[in-house]
Amino acid sequence: MDKVEYLGLNRLLSRAPRSPLTQDDQRWLLYTKHLCAKSPVPRWAMAAVIAHEDNLVTQSTNILGTHPFQSRFNRMTTHTHAEMMCLIKSRPEHLRNKTIYIQRHKRDGMDSCTYPCVHCMNAILTTQLQYICCIDEEHKPLS
């Protein structure tokens, strides 16, 4: 897939084919939801997990401060996104055929749309991750 442009990202993801969630998908989304509570960036309580079946590869929340890897994709942020932190913590060969699960919570604790931002999506596209599982605009899981 080519580099994603900002204006087309939500359109692209909203039209993406939807696969039924497996039990593993449901379990990892629930795990990621609980991880959101540990985010040190309460305005953007977001978490990401990379996993495959029963195997957790890595997990992260948004963190304060930036990282050189993220600056390759986005220089305009004051924190490192959870998806980026998962990619930073992982070896490229450990990402092959894995799924990244992304959750975001509003301040009231409710799920929120968690499409990856355009910068994170472009970073994800440089890997060999097989699936992205997140919450769509209607607050339904998208895999």
Side-chain angles (χ1 to χ4, degrees), residues 37-85:
K38 298 179 181 179
S39 176
V41 187
R43 182 170 177 224
W44 303 108
M46 198 152 187
V49 167
I50 296 175
H52 180 70
E53 296 173 352
D54 286 338
N55 301 315
L56 173 67
V57 175
T58 190
Q59 66 184 27
S60 188
T61 62
N62 284 1
I63 63 165
L64 297 171
T66 60
H67 188 279
F69 179 75
Q70 179 156 326
S71 68
R72 290 174 40 199
F73 300 94
N74 181 9
R75 295 174 192 240
M76 303 291 291
T77 188
T78 59
H79 63 279
T80 303
H81 295 186
E83 304 97 300
M84 290 285 192
M85 283 306 302

Side-chain angles (χ1 to χ4, degrees), residues 10-109:
N10 285 349
R11 194 173 327 120
L12 172 76
L13 289 172
S14 66
R15 294 180 184 168
R18 295 174 188 249
S19 303
L21 292 181
T22 66
Q23 286 184 333
D24 287 329
D25 291 336
Q26 293 171 2
R27 187 169 44 86
W28 286 118
L29 277 174
L30 183 61
Y31 181 85
T32 307
K33 182 176 184 171
H34 293 300
L35 191 60
C36 282
K38 298 179 181 179
S39 176
V41 187
R43 182 170 177 224
W44 303 108
M46 198 152 187
V49 167
I50 296 175
H52 180 70
E53 296 173 352
D54 286 338
N55 301 315
L56 173 67
V57 175
T58 190
Q59 66 184 27
S60 188
T61 62
N62 284 1
I63 63 165
L64 297 171
T66 60
H67 188 279
F69 179 75
Q70 179 156 326
S71 68
R72 290 174 40 199
F73 300 94
N74 181 9
R75 295 174 192 240
M76 303 291 291
T77 188
T78 59
H79 63 279
T80 303
H81 295 186
E83 304 97 300
M84 290 285 192
M85 283 306 302
C86 280
L87 298 178
I88 290 164
K89 292 169 148 184
S90 303
R91 293 182 144 186
E93 62 270 18
H94 293 161
L95 300 177
R96 178 173 289 154
N97 300 323
K98 306 297 188 292
T99 301
I100 186 165
Y101 299 90
I102 307 164
Q103 281 272 354
R104 176 179 171 208
H105 284 210
K106 296 179 183 176
R107 291 181 188 193
D108 62 7

